[in-house]
Amino acid sequence: MAKKSTKRKRAGNGSDDFRELLGTLFTSERVRFLTGLALCFLAVYMGIASFSFFFTGGADQSAVEHIPLRELLSGNRQVSNWAGLRGACIANLLMNRWFGIPSFFMLFCLGSLGVKWMGICRISMLRRILLCTAMLLWSSLFFSFVFTKSSEDSFLFLGGQQGLNLSNLLIRNFGKPGVILLLTVSFLVIAICLSTKVIPALQQAFSFAWLEGRWSLPKPKPKPEKRKRAEPEDVDEEEEEEEEEEAYAPPEKPEGRRPTEAISMDDDVEFTITAPAGDGEPYEPGEVRLPVRPDPPRPSRDDDEDPYDESSMGEYDPRLDLSNYHFPKPDLLKVYDQAQIFNTDEQNDNKKRIKQTLEEFGIHIMSINATVGPALTLYEVVPAVGVPIRKIRNLEDDIALRLSALGIRIIAPMPGKGTIGIEVPNKDAQIVSMHPLILSRKFHESKFNLPIVLGRTITNDVFLFDLCKAPHLLMAGATGQGKSVGLNAIITSLLYKKHPAEMKLVLVDPKMVEFSIYSKIERHFLAKLPDEDKAIITDCTRVVHTLNSLCKEMDDRYELLTKAHVRNLGEYNEKFVNRRLNPEKGHRYMPFIVVVIDEFGDLIMQAGKEIEMPIARIAQKARAIGIHMIIATQRPSTSIITGNIKANFPTRIAFRVSQMVDSRTILDQPGANKLIGRGDLLFSGGSIDMTRVQCAFVDTPEVENIASFIGQQPGYPCAYELPEYVPEGESRPEEDIDPSSRDPLFKDAARLIVIQQQGSTSLIQRKFAIGYNRAGRLMDQLERAGIVGPAEGSKARQVLIPDEYTLELLLRRLDGGTGE
């Protein structure tokens, strides 16, 4: 019995010694610090791996999925993750299999534990763990529920696999409205637990007092002074109660200080103002004196640490390189013989017919006046009192029949006037020449940055607008109605007003014949990619590359504006001209860039989103940095002029169209279907009101004269070079030469494509469970092997091999070339 008791005593002493050892280790400051440091390093490493997953997860997906433990320990597989193979596996576990992006809450909690054990600050770990757990579950469910569709074709589950399973479970049991209600309620619960100000805010919101204007200022309530002190991040409940008791305890009488008043602006907001003592002036209750603070030092407006100012050297002249450049002469434009446009007999006859037609339908008018334009005459009718406007508007076809006119347009009422306008085409229309418009005082004295003289209005006034304020222009109309002439008028206006150092043109011409005439001014006004031979862009692939290069140019310009602390191109160039920006820091004088795209519909049909997305991005952001777009199309349908395009092109020009639906597509209202053609257009500057303009006629010989005049002068060594653009996934030449570099899945992917007769990258990615980048490389190899055709935008590639037998013959021939 003594032996048994001795053994039990020894066993008990052993367990006690082990507990003592653990207690000693974790109570040792050195061990706790080292453990906390290790946890912080682990959290940072996992954070780097998880952050890298956003950029490399697609490429590493096939390497880390279902990886054996032996290969994980050996580390033989090649991955792109910044944290290596193990980091890629950890990131795939956290971001895909577990909770997705909210997994960063787990890393935050792990890092907080490390910081606490290192003794850097006091943290309530229980509260932090509960908070991170709640946010982890809520965020995972939110991302999975909201972004379900976007995760189907992506390598990343925003809410993780667990969040997706939870979302599907809740949707099956409660439906989507129930899940939305659950997310809302749980978010409010978490917010209430985080802050004590949430409940008063909710009570105030639900009381609807803010709708009744009950923001009256309550009377000041004297309250005891609250003493402020620095509090640690982690405060126990007992300490908080003690601090509240101290705060509401009667304050001690201060020495050497004046009385303190507590001004209450709201039940929840209170601040205290104490007047300083020692100035010998008597203090009166209710008097508030605020201490005067000195003005903070103003930060330097320059981007450099040492302000750069070389204004003593004089202003920089951007035209200095081409100081002998001569602007085109107006004599290069043709002057058309203008006959007498005031045909009094025609006007009086139309007045009588309009009056008779209206009276036949019981509409009496008080007066009618005529304003003669180059192609139209505007008759302004003042109806009698009590005549409804809709009655006159409904008689449009009857008036056109009585006048034997090609088509009339009724404006009821005229903007800013108490009249109704009836636009009637003239029998003998006049040609609007560009020559008098260029010589007009309105164009010559214009202060616009990019002035465009388009033609004449119905009152024979010169119509001028600023492309910088537009800031982008959409032109549309049926074939042969004047779009190409309108584009020539726009480009001619810019060439007559801007120096080559101040403006560059990017011309896109899918028809290959409209803008080829401007190739003579390549070294003066045109811009192109560095590796392009011709500045006039005609190929769809080159158009995509150029638009993406313009996006890069846009980003580069915004970086320069940020460094210069300015908001737009005008302020930046003014600062550079005054020599307040250092060229050695990358600053340069930046010209305006005008992108002119003809036959936009043809480009959309070929490339689709590859064309539309960069155009939309430029249209959204490029206004401030001086890049402006003009696109023209003869297919004004909703498939070409999409909502994304219309939203970013507020200024629009509509030539004649055949249907009212086309007019609504361009202008969001009818009217273009009532035009008479031959340069007759409607201009909309983003408002409801439209201006009818007869476009100036610029013939091909006139454009040739202008281009030859500019091209004969000394120019720059080459065209203005846009930033170099390298497409993603571009094939390397050595892969075409060495067939041994083919992917191991090359043959299997080829058989899959031929059997399915569908050249889709997503099909390869889905069937073989590989990343998007690898699937794209496989598709490029299949194209070089002649199995599929070239990319066609967002469409699937064409399969060039009809059956499996032909494919096997091709594969044998390819293998024979490698010596297999």
Side-chain angles (χ1 to χ4, degrees):
M1 296 293 295
K3 291 182 179 180
K4 290 182 180 180
S5 61
T6 304
K7 290 180 180 180
R8 290 176 181 174
K9 186 175 182 181
R10 289 178 180 176
N13 292 337
S15 60
D16 292 339
D17 293 341
F18 181 74
R19 293 175 184 174
E20 225 175 279
L21 178 62
L22 288 178
T24 305
L25 286 176
F26 283 96
T27 54
S28 173
E29 183 178 357
R30 182 179 302 174
V31 174
R32 288 175 61 88
F33 184 88
L34 292 176
T35 306
L37 185 62
L39 291 177
C40 289
F41 282 151
L42 179 61
V44 172
Y45 174 79
M46 296 171 66
I48 294 174
S50 300
F51 184 77
S52 173
F53 186 83
F54 294 106
F55 308 95
T56 62
D60 295 341
Q61 188 175 10
S62 58
V64 299
E65 284 288 343
H66 309 294
I67 181 173
L69 180 61
R70 180 177 57 189
E71 292 190 25
L72 177 61
L73 296 177
S74 63
N76 292 331
R77 294 196 179 187
Q78 297 294 329
V79 294
S80 301
N81 194 285
W82 303 339
L85 178 60
R86 291 170 180 79
C89 293
I90 293 174
N92 183 63
L93 180 68
L94 293 175
M95 306 303 290
N96 268 346
R97 297 187 182 180
W98 283 5
F99 299 99
I101 296 178
S103 298
F104 282 100
F105 285 108
M106 300 170 61
L107 306 183
F108 174 72
C109 192
L110 184 62
S112 301
L113 181 60
V115 170
K116 179 179 178 65
W117 281 6
M118 291 173 66
I120 296 177
C121 60
R122 295 175 58 190
I123 299 174
S124 176
M125 283 307 302
L126 179 60
R127 180 180 178 183
R128 185 150 297 185
I129 290 174
L130 293 176
L131 173 62
C132 290
T133 303
M135 291 302 299
L136 175 72
L137 297 176
W138 188 90
S139 302
S140 178
L141 177 60
F142 175 81
F143 282 119
S144 299
F145 178 76
V146 174
F147 302 101
T148 303
K149 298 296 183 183
S150 61
S151 301
E152 293 179 356
D153 298 328
S154 175
F155 66 92
L156 172 63
F157 292 94
L158 298 181
Q161 190 65 42
Q162 302 300 327
L164 184 62
N165 295 337
L166 180 59
S167 175
N168 294 335
L169 177 64
L170 293 176
I171 290 175
R172 287 195 301 268
N173 287 275
F174 302 101
K176 291 186 177 180
V179 176
I180 295 174
L181 183 62
L182 178 62
L183 286 170
T184 305
V185 173
S186 57
F187 177 80
L188 292 177
V189 171
I190 295 174
I192 290 172
C193 295
L194 283 177
S195 175
T196 57
K197 296 181 180 180
V198 175
I199 293 180
L202 292 176
Q203 292 175 343
Q204 188 174 11
F206 291 147
S207 65
F208 299 99
W210 54 277
L211 290 175
E212 300 175 3
R214 299 176 182 176
W215 295 106
S216 58
L217 185 67
K219 296 182 179 179
K221 298 188 211 175
K223 289 187 180 180
E225 181 183 358
K226 293 186 179 181
R227 292 179 296 174
K228 298 182 178 179
R229 65 178 186 179
E231 296 180 0
E233 205 172 334
D234 177 38
V235 180
D236 296 335
E237 295 182 356
E238 297 180 358
E239 294 178 358
E240 291 180 356
E241 293 177 359
E242 292 177 1
E243 291 175 1
E244 291 178 359
E245 292 177 0
E246 292 178 3
Y248 288 96
E252 298 179 1
K253 185 176 181 180
E255 298 179 1
R257 296 178 63 88
R258 291 188 173 181
T260 301
E261 288 190 4
I263 301 178
S264 176
M265 301 295 292
D266 200 4
D267 293 340
D268 300 315
V269 181
E270 178 180 318
F271 61 93
T272 305
I273 300 177
T274 304
D279 55 0
E281 296 181 5
Y283 172 78
E284 297 180 2
E287 181 181 1
V288 178
R289 297 181 182 178
L290 297 176
V292 179
R293 296 184 178 180
D295 294 335
R298 300 179 66 181
S300 174
R301 290 180 58 86
D302 288 320
D303 61 325
D304 308 320
E305 295 181 359
D306 299 328
Y308 181 86
D309 189 359
E310 296 293 337
S311 56
S312 59
M313 299 174 58
E315 292 185 353
Y316 169 78
D317 185 11
R319 301 183 178 185
L320 187 61
D321 294 335
L322 297 181
S323 57
N324 296 324
Y325 174 80
H326 298 284
F327 286 84
K329 300 178 181 179
D331 297 336
L332 299 174
L333 298 170
K334 185 177 180 180
V335 180
Y336 295 91
D337 295 331
Q338 299 291 330
Q340 180 67 29
I341 62 174
F342 296 98
N343 191 336
T344 308
D345 296 334
E346 180 184 353
Q347 296 175 27
N348 294 332
D349 185 48
N350 287 338
K351 285 182 181 179
K352 292 180 181 178
R353 293 185 180 184
I354 292 174
K355 187 175 181 181
Q356 291 175 1
T357 303
L358 295 177
E359 289 178 350
E360 288 175 1
F361 289 90
I363 300 175
H364 299 281
I365 60 175
M366 300 173 61
S367 65
I368 180 171
N369 298 318
T371 303
V372 183
L376 301 167
T377 299
L378 173 64
Y379 297 91
E380 294 186 62
V381 176
V382 180
V385 179
V387 175
I389 294 178
R390 64 178 181 273
K391 292 184 65 177
I392 301 179
R393 190 186 293 117
N394 294 334
L395 298 177
E396 185 171 317
D397 295 334
D398 298 279
I399 297 175
L401 178 63
R402 181 61 64 89
L403 297 177
S404 302
L406 180 63
I408 69 169
R409 178 170 170 260
I410 294 180
I411 309 173
M414 292 284 291
K417 300 181 180 180
T419 61
I420 296 175
I422 303 176
E423 296 175 347
V424 181
N426 297 335
K427 292 183 178 180
D428 297 322
Q430 305 296 316
I431 297 177
V432 177
S433 173
M434 180 62 78
H435 182 271
L437 302 182
I438 295 295
L439 291 176
S440 64
R441 178 178 296 180
K442 189 173 184 180
F443 180 77
H444 183 68
E445 297 178 356
S446 172
K447 302 299 182 182
F448 292 162
N449 290 321
L450 292 175
I452 294 178
V453 57
L454 197 59
R456 291 188 181 273
T457 63
I458 199 170
T459 58
N460 261 320
D461 294 329
V462 176
F463 185 79
L464 187 73
F465 72 98
D466 189 3
L467 184 60
C468 283
K469 297 179 180 179
H472 309 286
L473 177 63
L474 170 64
M475 297 178 63
T479 304
Q481 301 303 318
K483 293 190 308 302
S484 299
V485 175
L487 290 176
N488 287 332
I490 290 173
I491 297 175
T492 301
S493 302
L494 297 175
L495 294 180
Y496 267 91
K497 198 67 175 179
K498 305 303 291 185
H499 190 272
E502 301 168 347
M503 183 199 68
K504 300 298 177 183
L505 295 171
V506 177
L507 302 181
V508 178
D509 183 18
K511 290 195 296 188
M512 299 183 286
V513 294
E514 293 293 339
F515 293 152
S516 60
I517 197 171
Y518 295 103
S519 59
K520 299 178 182 179
I521 63 174
E522 175 178 343
R523 294 184 298 110
H524 298 81
F525 284 99
L526 300 188
K528 66 176 183 178
L529 293 175
D531 56 344
E532 297 293 343
D533 297 329
K534 299 179 180 179
I536 309 297
I537 308 168
T538 57
D539 181 66
C540 184
T541 304
R542 292 175 57 203
V543 175
V544 175
H545 293 179
T546 304
L547 290 175
N548 284 278
S549 176
L550 287 170
C551 291
K552 190 175 181 182
E553 172 75 10
M554 176 181 67
D555 296 334
D556 294 341
R557 289 191 172 198
Y558 267 115
E559 289 182 6
L560 293 177
L561 261 65
T562 303
K563 292 179 181 178
H565 302 285
V566 294
R567 297 183 299 175
N568 54 56
L569 184 68
E571 295 177 2
Y572 178 90
N573 284 339
E574 180 182 0
K575 204 170 184 180
F576 187 88
V577 167
N578 294 328
R579 299 187 185 274
R580 296 174 57 196
L581 296 175
N582 191 354
E584 297 180 359
K585 300 292 185 180
H587 293 289
R588 53 188 169 89
Y589 185 87
M590 294 187 292
F592 290 98
I593 298 178
V594 179
V595 186
V596 184
I597 302 177
D598 194 12
E599 295 301 329
F600 174 71
D602 183 68
L603 296 176
I604 288 293
M605 292 182 66
Q606 292 186 55
K609 294 294 183 181
E610 293 182 13
I611 294 288
E612 182 181 352
M613 288 299 103
I615 287 179
R617 187 166 181 260
I618 293 172
Q620 288 171 355
K621 294 180 57 179
R623 173 180 182 175
I625 45 87
I627 300 179
H628 305 275
M629 301 199 71
I630 301 172
I631 62 176
T633 179
Q634 62 180 1
R635 300 172 183 171
S637 60
T638 54
S639 59
I640 303 300
I641 306 177
T642 61
N644 200 15
I645 294 295
K646 292 176 64 175
N648 296 294
F649 284 76
T651 304
R652 303 167 194 170
I653 293 177
F655 292 87
R656 184 183 181 184
V657 293
S658 57
Q659 299 177 358
M660 183 186 295
V661 64
D662 295 335
S663 177
R664 292 187 181 276
T665 302
I666 307 169
L667 302 172
D668 294 328
Q669 55 183 306
N673 55 314
K674 298 294 184 179
L675 301 177
I676 61 175
R678 300 186 62 185
D680 189 18
L681 63 89
L682 288 175
F683 179 90
S684 173
S687 60
I688 300 178
D689 300 333
M690 294 184 297
T691 304
R692 194 165 185 176
V693 179
Q694 180 64 36
C695 183
F697 181 72
V698 184
D699 203 4
T700 302
E702 299 175 74
V703 179
E704 288 180 349
N705 294 337
I706 297 172
S708 299
F709 179 85
I710 297 175
Q712 292 173 359
Q713 302 183 51
Y716 295 102
C718 61
Y720 183 87
E721 290 189 353
L722 299 173
E724 185 177 2
Y725 172 73
V726 179
E728 296 181 3
E730 190 176 43
S731 61
R732 297 176 296 180
E734 59 267 23
E735 292 183 356
D736 298 335
I737 299 173
D738 185 12
S740 61
S741 62
R742 296 194 191 104
D743 193 281
L745 295 175
F746 173 77
K747 294 183 179 180
D748 295 334
R751 295 186 179 97
L752 173 66
I753 292 298
V754 172
I755 293 174
Q756 299 291 336
Q757 285 294 306
Q758 180 183 359
S760 171
T761 305
S762 59
L763 176 64
I764 298 177
Q765 182 184 5
R766 185 169 61 253
K767 291 295 183 181
F768 297 106
I770 59 177
Y772 181 80
N773 292 341
R774 185 181 179 186
R777 289 193 297 269
L778 270 170
M779 187 61 69
D780 293 336
Q781 294 174 5
L782 293 173
E783 178 186 355
R784 290 192 294 274
I787 299 174
V788 296
E792 300 179 2
S794 59
K795 299 180 181 178
R797 296 174 184 246
Q798 181 182 2
V799 181
L800 305 178
I801 305 299
D803 50 37
E804 295 181 70
Y805 178 75
T806 308
L807 174 64
E808 294 300 330
L809 293 178
L810 176 61
L811 294 178
R812 290 177 186 177
R813 187 166 63 250
L814 293 175
D815 292 341
T818 59
E820 295 180 3

